Amino acid sequence: MFKIFNYLRNPIEIAAMSFIVLITLIALIGPLVAPHDPYEANFHNTFSAPSFEYIFGTDAAGRDVFSRVLFGAKLTLATTLFIIFIVSSIGIFIGIISALSGGIIDNLLMRFTDIWLGFPPLILALGFAASFGAGMKAAILALIFTWWPNYARLSRALIIETKDKEFILSAKAMGVSDLRIIFSHLIPNAFDVLFVQISLDVAAVILVISGLSFIGVGAQIPLAEWGAMIADGRSAMSKAWWVVFFPGLAILLTAISFNLIGDVLRRELDPNLSGNK
Amino acid sequence: MKKFIALIFIVSFSSIILAGTKGVLYIAENETPENLDPANATNSTVDQLLVGVYDTLVQFTAGETTVTPRIAKSWSVSNDGMKYTFNLRNDVLFHDGSSLTAEDVKFTLDRLVAAKGNTMNDLAFYKGAEVVDDYTISLLLESPFGPFISGLSRIYLINKDLVQSNLGDDNGRAWLAVNEAGSGPYKITKFKPTEEVVLEAFEPYWKGWSGNHVSKVVFVYISEPSTQLALLNSGDIHIAPDLTVDDKVGLRSKMGFKVDIGAAATPLYFQLNTQGKKIMQNPLFRKALVMSFDRGLHLKSVLQGFGNMPDGPLPSNWPGHKKGTELRFNLNSAKKIIKDNGWTGTRLLVRYLPAIEEEKRAVEQFQSNLAKIGITLDTEGMTWPTQAATVQKLETTSDINMIYNFPSFPDPHAILNTSFNGKLTGYNGGYNWSQYSNNKVDSLLNKAASSSDQKERANLYSQVQQLVGSDNVVITVSNPGSVVALSNKVEGYIYNVAHHQTFNYMDIGLK
Amino acid sequence: MPLAFIKNIFFYIGQRIILTIIALVVLSFITFSLSYIVPGDAALVAAGPNAGKVKIEQLRREMGLNLPFHEQYIIYFSKLSKGDLGKSWFTHQPILEDIKDLLPASTELVFFAMLFNILIAIPLGVLAATKRDTKTDLSIRILVMFGAGIPIFWLGLLLQHFLAGEAELFPIAGRLSFSNRNFESNSGFILIDSIVQGEWSVFVDSLWHIILPSFTLSVLFIAVITRTTRSTVMKALEEDFIILARSKGISEFRVIVKHALRNALVPTVTILGMQIGWMMGATVLVEEIFGRPGIGKYAVKAVTQSDIHAIVGVVLIVGVIFIISNLIVDIIHFFLNPRLRNS
């Protein structure tokens, strides 16, 4: 995984990778280094402009925007990685079954997957929000429901490509159990390409999650989630631009960085897909 | 020749009548009306339209806190308080020209009962109506109810003949949803909620048109506060009720505009679950909670001063208000109580509606203050129906629930009974979300409800506030003002405490 | 037409149609389950304030809320097949009517976003591909980078604040100006109806109102298509037939447009088709910010009112549109792609 540093070719890519490292660090230790309690309201100090003490200013409840942005990093990354972990697991599972079964099962599963490919998560999230109540739960569920087809298709294609390769056939001939082949050979082999998809998806999921929080069906205030923060500061945008600006900037930079790194990975790990040298 | 003279006569006569009405009043509203059915008049978007389209037996004039006669010229109450007899005017015409008689009143009530109209919920103990003659009607109750007359302020009288022929199989709900059958000063000439709703003056209105009145009222539905502001500034609309607090502050000092702060009576509460988990059942713990909210700061910072400083669950200017029943903000005392009793580290849950800005900010302040005294407050944002569902069972009620009280009429009963009567707890289907059940309070409330002696009632309600205060049942967060931005051209607008979020357009004129 | 070809059509399309039907049934099951498990109480909501337990219980029985799961589902499904999506409890109108009224507004938005997409992304992609590795290419790629990473709602807020609020180049919100609010649009498509009725000022007005929101919506998708076009055109330019065309002396412009682009467009068009579904889903963000009516906004309002039937109705309709358009794209693909035809 740390090979990636060798792949970086220009300053922009280096910057992107550094930002990712930075944001990961923030996600991990942010809570410890934040200058203020992100949930401590102070109605004597609402909407104060960025200053030395409050680097990104304060919001409608007098909270420090900078600390909240730091906390938001942890929340956003943790949620995103959780979702991606689940959907990739489900997707890989289905992809394996489909690829190894072949025939009708393969056909049916893939057609079924195709139909759901790209179902708008925003709308489904609204449905879940109505049923379970708005909150991260609804957002996460909706994303899981709509995102797994990507991984199912991808892993199926990869498995099919790999399963007839020499080293697999010889392993089988040697009597290695199917299960071992799957876990020790097929999946790890596919992983490189899956990793590309994962990296790109991190950006996409972050955008969708913050969008959901913005319209009110994802994270709820006072949770320090970037999308929710933007929604909260929206009505005061003309007098307190910082409440909307900084969380948005955080989303932008994070998404761009993951996108860029995804591109780098694609370039290095999967040359036949990119055509982008 | 005769025809010509007659024509001139008619034209000048009608222009004399219409001399009282001129101009078109444009009112912005951010929420489209549900429909036009008077049975739903407890909903403010419906009430907003109907308040000048229909007549009632009695009504609260904007700015007043007691009812005055309308269709009912006078009335008398039987000694046992169970029969109200009304003498009606004989000069009231419906918009289709027919006369309003006692039959229409009876039909209105019968229909409301059959259609399970929400407006009947405020007429406790109503049993039935008896037509005595064309202009006399008796309303019967199962037991006496003090505020009965006040509850009639939303019983909009419908045209029996017209509605009966359109009753269908749903008690006329489908027809009345998009049609009106009223006798009020304005008739609805266009109902297109996605665009606008237009009302025009009904010339033969029994009250006449002396004074300055508008001949047309147009409600336009604009959901964006910034758009409402832009249109108010450009003069396209005259009344903008849904601006942001900052916009309203700015308009206060702007030439050509004024900001009206109606002394609203829609208190916002943190209702503390008195039958919840063990620690919540302890009045001393609740005492600490009550002392942990800074109402003054909320009024200043969140409401920007638009409202009154709360002093107990009842608005201060209401009859029967008793001073000082609810504890004031004192975080140090609260902290001491928590510490002395080893309650540090307690975890509580509050449910509220994040869609309402004021509730959000109140929760944030409360959460922050409680954190300072060692209590963790978890928050759960919900939608109204979901929150209402959670309080229907004791087991699912959270420790604290935020809720506004929207009294249908300015009577202490409307607030105190609704919020504190043991028969109306959440698990009994009511709005007493503190699940507060105190027999003494209940008997005081019931006695006050069946009495018609206002002094006695005020006394009883005083005692209720005292008991509720010492039991630390609620934290009254605010008495928010109903703030409306208007063009200076508007004269006659007064906030009506009995009809929240509506405008007395029938009394408004344009300069 | 050869028999094998016809057989192929039947198999392929028939298979697709059956699966589409299954998908629709599954969708209805999902949407029904959503409405079933909602914790809110529809009867409570309908009864109103101070109703009391008895009345609520009565309503609950009337609304059939006490029946077991499968019975309720059967009722739901039979209503669906008649086109009855139930009534919205806050508008009291049939939900299908509500959605039909609002769908054109969202569709107009998506249409214009797509227009922006095609008009901007494809030329940009071609430009980047032909000027590959130059400063132009680099700047386009940087733009794409930002476009792909920017949150739609944040962009919308910023554009609204600066271009509409401060600079007043565009209206802040709505579909039409206040003076045109009474325009009667028969089909719901204001842009079309205004032309049909000859109301040019209304047409211009609605165009002016739709530019900012549809552009906001399109940015993310423009980034994707630009990138796709760029890479597919680059690939196509490396193919043999291009070298052949060039050697024949055909002008560079024709080479690019007629030969490279045409081949490169197939995957691009596929993605464009899929984007329609994604855009429909994302309209809610833009409708919310720019105060435009639409099914997205309707769904959000329904969530805040816990009007489960309305939301479920939207999920269903969007799902149906999505599934059916996939089917159509598949069929078109089948006819376009020789490999599938002969498999």
Side-chain angles (χ1 to χ4, degrees):
Chain A
M1 197 180 301
F2 294 101
K3 287 187 281 179
I4 192 167
F5 288 99
N6 298 339
Y7 299 150
L8 305 174
R9 284 196 192 166
N10 58 53
I12 296 184
E13 290 172 5
I14 296 178
M17 194 63 216
S18 320
F19 188 80
I20 290 182
V21 171
L22 178 67
I23 207 85
T24 313
L25 258 163
I26 291 178
L28 291 171
I29 62 162
L32 300 169
V33 298
H36 297 272
D37 179 348
Y39 298 116
E40 183 180 339
N42 181 2
F43 282 91
H44 295 282
N45 191 23
T46 58
F47 294 126
S48 61
S51 60
F52 199 61
E53 207 195 336
Y54 299 100
I55 305 178
F56 287 167
T58 63
D59 66 6
R63 296 172 294 221
D64 179 27
V65 176
F66 182 64
S67 304
R68 286 171 71 74
V69 169
L70 291 185
F71 260 73
K74 173 168 166 199
L75 191 63
T76 304
L77 277 183
T79 312
T80 305
L81 289 174
F82 174 72
I83 291 174
I84 291 189
F85 174 71
I86 303 268
V87 298
S88 52
S89 306
I90 296 178
I92 291 176
F93 179 67
I94 295 190
I96 289 182
I97 294 184
S98 194
L100 295 181
S101 312
I104 298 185
I105 299 185
D106 179 21
N107 219 342
L108 276 174
L109 270 178
M110 277 305 106
R111 297 296 152 249
F112 184 71
T113 308
D114 274 350
I115 290 181
W116 299 106
L117 198 62
F119 192 94
L122 240 60
I123 300 285
L124 193 60
L126 288 172
F128 283 125
S131 293
F132 305 123
M136 284 311 244
K137 239 193 318 184
I140 293 175
L141 263 168
L143 276 161
I144 292 177
F145 260 72
T146 51
W147 220 273
W148 66 266
N150 301 10
Y151 287 91
R153 293 210 91 218
L154 190 58
S155 30
R156 173 196 174 270
L158 290 169
I159 304 271
I160 286 193
E161 205 189 282
T162 330
K163 74 178 169 125
D164 290 327
K165 288 226 173 105
E166 280 289 325
F167 70 100
I168 299 289
L169 293 173
S170 43
K172 272 182 115 157
M174 284 201 290
V176 181
S177 79
D178 281 343
L179 218 59
R180 270 207 79 188
I181 294 185
I182 294 176
F183 281 100
S184 317
H185 299 287
L186 290 176
I187 294 186
N189 232 282
F191 213 71
D192 274 352
V193 181
L194 283 171
F195 210 68
V196 172
Q197 183 68 30
I198 286 178
S199 174
L200 294 170
D201 274 349
V202 169
V205 170
I206 290 179
L207 289 173
V208 174
I209 292 247
S210 53
L212 286 172
S213 303
F214 176 76
I215 50 177
V217 300
Q220 304 288 304
I221 278 286
L223 212 54
E225 199 272 345
W226 295 335
M229 288 167 68
I230 295 178
D232 196 43
R234 187 180 153 197
S235 52
M237 213 168 97
S238 31
K239 77 174 185 190
W241 57 270
W242 50 91
V243 189
V244 164
F245 183 72
F246 289 110
L249 192 63
I251 301 175
L252 177 64
L253 292 177
T254 310
I256 290 182
S257 305
F258 275 99
N259 266 336
L260 271 174
I261 294 306
D263 276 348
V264 169
L265 286 173
R266 180 158 49 186
R267 183 179 66 212
E268 300 300 328
L269 299 176
D270 192 13
N272 35 310
L273 271 191
S274 68
N276 203 17
K277 295 256 174 207
Chain B
M1 189 60 181
K2 269 207 200 147
K3 267 201 193 155
F4 186 59
I5 297 177
L7 194 63
I8 297 187
F9 190 66
I10 291 175
V11 167
S12 37
F13 189 59
S14 34
S15 42
I16 291 175
I17 290 182
L18 289 176
T21 74
K22 65 172 171 21
V24 182
L25 177 68
Y26 285 91
I27 305 178
E29 168 58 58
N30 71 346
E31 219 183 298
T32 49
E34 239 184 46
N35 54 51
L36 290 177
D37 192 337
N40 295 327
T42 47
N43 180 307
S44 61
T45 59
V46 180
D47 197 34
Q48 184 182 65
L49 295 173
L50 302 186
V51 71
V53 171
Y54 285 89
D55 276 317
T56 50
L57 289 174
V58 297
Q59 190 55 270
F60 291 90
T61 309
E64 294 176 15
T65 50
T66 46
V67 289
T68 42
R70 292 289 189 277
I71 304 299
K73 289 190 298 194
S74 60
W75 59 90
S76 60
V77 191
S78 65
N79 282 333
D80 60 5
M82 305 208 292
K83 181 162 162 185
Y84 288 71
T85 308
F86 298 87
N87 302 310
L88 312 176
R89 305 183 64 98
N90 58 9
D91 59 351
V92 181
L93 294 177
F94 281 110
H95 297 154
D96 67 355
S98 55
S99 293
L100 190 155
T101 66
E103 284 292 340
D104 298 295
V105 179
K106 175 163 162 56
F107 179 75
T108 300
L109 286 159
D110 288 345
R111 186 240 161 200
L112 282 174
V113 171
K116 301 195 188 68
N118 296 339
T119 47
M120 291 306 285
N121 295 343
D122 289 315
L123 290 183
F125 312 126
Y126 173 75
K127 196 164 72 174
E130 262 174 19
V131 172
V132 176
D133 63 44
D134 270 350
Y135 299 107
T136 319
I137 186 164
S138 290
L139 299 186
L140 309 163
L141 291 98
E142 282 160 357
S143 82
F145 181 52
F148 183 71
I149 293 278
S150 302
L152 293 172
S153 59
R154 279 199 209 204
I155 303 299
Y156 292 120
L157 302 173
I158 59 182
N159 185 337
K160 172 177 177 181
D161 294 326
L162 186 53
V163 177
Q164 204 160 44
S165 46
N166 290 291
L167 215 50
D169 56 0
D170 62 351
N171 293 302
R173 272 199 181 269
W175 191 83
L176 278 171
V178 289
N179 293 287
E180 56 110 333
S183 58
Y186 288 84
K187 38 186 210 282
I188 296 184
T189 52
K190 177 177 175 188
F191 182 65
K192 267 233 150 82
T194 48
E195 295 165 12
E196 57 178 23
V197 176
V198 180
L199 293 79
E200 284 179 27
F202 176 58
E203 298 100 76
Y205 186 55
W206 56 267
K207 214 172 182 193
W209 291 99
S210 63
N212 191 2
H213 298 272
V214 289
S215 39
K216 229 185 190 180
V217 182
V218 180
F219 281 90
V220 275
Y221 296 96
I222 298 164
S223 53
E224 286 290 306
S226 43
T227 314
Q228 282 197 16
L229 180 63
L231 292 172
L232 184 67
N233 277 325
S234 62
D236 284 309
I237 59 173
H238 301 107
I239 301 182
D242 308 301
L243 308 181
T244 64
V245 179
D246 292 303
D247 291 334
K248 290 173 188 170
V249 171
L251 280 172
R252 274 181 116 163
S253 42
K254 190 164 175 189
M255 284 285 288
F257 300 98
K258 54 190 174 197
V259 174
D260 183 286
I261 307 172
T266 55
L268 175 61
Y269 302 128
F270 278 117
Q271 295 219 286
L272 311 175
N273 188 353
T274 57
Q275 292 195 50
K277 55 192 195 221
K278 204 144 172 269
I279 198 174
M280 284 303 292
Q281 292 183 31
N282 188 332
L284 185 58
F285 181 70
R286 295 200 299 268
K287 182 173 174 184
L289 293 179
V290 175
M291 293 199 285
S292 303
F293 188 78
D294 191 346
R295 303 165 190 75
L297 185 57
H298 180 92
L299 176 60
K300 191 175 98 170
S301 178
V302 176
L303 295 178
Q304 303 265 338
F306 290 133
N308 299 326
M309 183 70 181
D311 179 15
L314 211 56
S316 326
N317 56 343
W318 278 27
H321 177 257
K322 180 135 176 74
K323 291 202 177 123
T325 58
E326 193 174 305
L327 292 168
R328 297 203 166 167
F329 178 58
N330 192 333
L331 204 58
N332 288 327
S333 298
K335 193 169 186 178
K336 191 163 190 306
I337 295 178
I338 300 297
K339 240 178 113 195
D340 290 347
N341 287 278
W343 287 329
T344 317
T346 312
R347 232 195 157 93
L348 299 173
L349 175 67
V350 62
R351 291 203 170 114
Y352 70 108
L353 304 180
I356 302 181
E357 178 102 9
E358 196 191 354
E359 288 197 17
K360 210 164 51 164
R361 303 296 171 220
V363 163
E364 287 168 343
Q365 196 216 115
F366 199 34
Q367 186 185 48
S368 185
N369 291 350
L370 287 179
K372 293 196 184 118
I373 63 174
I375 297 181
T376 310
L377 183 66
D378 291 323
T379 71
E380 197 175 348
M382 301 197 135
T383 61
W384 167 256
T386 320
Q387 188 186 16
T390 60
V391 297
Q392 286 200 299
K393 291 206 200 85
L394 209 46
E395 315 86 68
T396 53
T397 309
S398 58
D399 304 308
I400 307 173
N401 277 289
M402 286 209 87
I403 182 175
Y404 283 90
N405 189 311
F406 274 84
S408 311
F409 40 82
D411 186 300
H413 172 88
I415 288 189
L416 295 176
N417 191 62
T418 311
S419 298
F420 304 115
N421 194 322
K423 282 240 166 48
L424 294 175
T425 54
Y427 55 80
N428 281 330
Y431 288 152
N432 171 355
W433 286 7
S434 293
Q435 317 287 28
Y436 182 59
S437 189
N438 180 327
N439 290 331
K440 183 127 202 325
V441 169
D442 289 354
S443 62
L444 286 168
L445 286 169
N446 293 337
K447 199 155 171 228
S450 42
S451 156
S452 29
D453 179 345
Q454 298 310 325
K455 260 185 126 174
E456 183 194 22
R457 294 183 74 219
N459 189 337
L460 293 166
Y461 287 124
S462 265
Q463 295 178 50
V464 169
Q465 290 164 72
Q466 204 86 300
L467 286 168
V468 166
S470 56
D471 262 343
N472 292 303
V473 180
V474 283
I475 303 174
T476 309
V477 170
S478 66
N479 271 321
S482 175
V483 188
V484 174
L486 312 123
S487 150
N488 261 340
K489 294 209 183 96
V490 175
E491 59 177 23
Y493 167 70
I494 303 177
Y495 180 71
N496 192 337
V497 181
H499 292 272
H500 301 291
Q501 296 167 335
T502 71
F503 307 96
N504 60 332
Y505 54 82
M506 64 295 263
D507 299 322
I508 288 179
L510 289 172
K511 287 197 260 212
Chain C
M1 260 197 246
L3 196 61
F5 182 53
I6 299 180
K7 251 173 56 173
N8 257 335
I9 297 183
F10 265 124
F11 264 129
Y12 187 82
I13 296 184
Q15 202 184 52
R16 279 283 193 285
I17 292 182
I18 292 178
L19 282 156
T20 301
I21 295 177
I22 296 180
L24 289 172
V25 172
V26 169
L27 180 67
S28 76
F29 188 75
I30 294 178
T31 53
F32 172 71
S33 309
L34 284 178
S35 57
Y36 185 78
I37 60 179
V38 65
D41 191 345
L44 177 79
V45 153
N50 286 339
K53 258 185 156 175
V54 173
K55 183 166 165 189
I56 296 176
E57 208 36 62
Q58 255 180 330
L59 273 170
R60 189 173 292 137
R61 245 175 291 131
E62 273 175 27
M63 291 164 85
L65 295 173
N66 290 333
L67 295 170
F69 182 85
H70 55 271
E71 272 186 55
Q72 288 195 47
Y73 177 64
I74 294 176
I75 297 178
Y76 175 77
F77 194 76
S78 55
K79 278 195 186 160
L80 268 189
S81 36
K82 283 187 236 137
D84 178 8
L85 264 68
K87 280 215 182 95
S88 157
W89 80 259
F90 64 90
T91 66
H92 288 271
Q93 300 303 312
I95 292 173
L96 194 58
E97 287 304 312
D98 281 341
I99 295 182
K100 261 167 62 183
D101 285 337
L102 296 168
L103 204 50
S106 299
T107 311
E108 268 184 345
L109 205 55
V110 170
F111 176 78
F112 270 84
M114 262 308 172
L115 206 61
F116 272 117
N117 195 354
I118 297 176
L119 292 177
I120 297 177
I122 295 185
L124 270 186
V126 170
L127 192 62
T130 53
K131 297 244 193 298
R132 159 186 192 163
D133 291 334
T134 61
K135 274 220 177 100
T136 318
D137 183 23
L138 192 61
S139 3
I140 291 180
R141 287 171 68 190
I142 291 182
L143 274 176
V144 164
M145 189 181 79
F146 272 93
I150 200 164
I152 292 181
F153 55 96
W154 192 61
L155 177 67
L157 283 177
L158 292 177
L159 286 177
Q160 185 185 48
H161 181 78
F162 289 112
L163 293 184
E166 304 269 317
E168 289 188 29
L169 287 169
F170 295 99
I172 294 180
R175 273 178 105 187
L176 287 172
S177 304
F178 184 70
S179 43
N180 283 326
R181 69 189 183 281
N182 286 328
F183 177 73
E184 293 274 344
S185 173
N186 296 323
S187 64
F189 291 95
I190 294 186
L191 283 148
I192 296 180
D193 279 330
S194 52
I195 294 183
V196 164
Q197 291 181 34
E199 300 264 11
W200 299 108
S201 59
V202 176
F203 177 72
V204 171
D205 190 30
S206 59
L207 207 62
W208 192 48
H209 276 81
I210 209 172
I211 290 181
L212 222 48
S214 54
F215 178 71
T216 306
L217 184 58
S218 69
V219 167
L220 185 64
F221 301 96
I222 289 178
V224 172
I225 296 292
T226 307
R227 180 190 286 169
T228 314
T229 309
R230 179 182 179 276
S231 64
T232 50
V233 168
M234 264 180 5
K235 238 189 178 165
L237 284 175
E238 284 165 10
E239 295 287 328
D240 289 336
F241 67 87
I242 294 294
I243 302 176
L244 187 62
R246 283 202 183 117
S247 68
K248 279 204 200 154
I250 300 179
S251 78
E252 188 63 15
F253 182 74
R254 284 193 78 187
V255 167
I256 297 173
V257 173
K258 265 197 92 175
H259 298 276
L261 191 57
R262 198 195 291 166
N263 274 285
L265 272 183
V266 176
T268 308
V269 166
T270 316
I271 300 185
L272 275 172
M274 280 164 62
Q275 282 187 342
I276 294 183
W278 296 328
M279 271 194 195
M280 278 246 100
T283 56
V284 53
L285 295 168
V286 168
E287 281 163 8
E288 177 64 35
I289 294 175
F290 289 95
R292 300 178 64 94
I295 52 175
K297 196 133 172 268
Y298 179 76
V300 171
K301 178 142 191 246
V303 172
T304 59
Q305 310 266 28
S306 271
D307 188 348
I308 188 63
H309 292 293
I311 305 164
V312 156
V314 173
V315 173
L316 196 63
I317 296 290
V318 170
V320 166
I321 293 178
F322 173 75
I323 290 174
I324 302 242
S325 58
N326 267 3
L327 181 64
I328 295 178
V329 167
D330 268 347
I331 296 180
I332 294 179
H333 220 213
F334 179 79
F335 284 109
L336 282 182
N337 192 338
R339 266 176 286 159
L340 283 176
R341 277 204 295 256
N342 302 322
S343 62

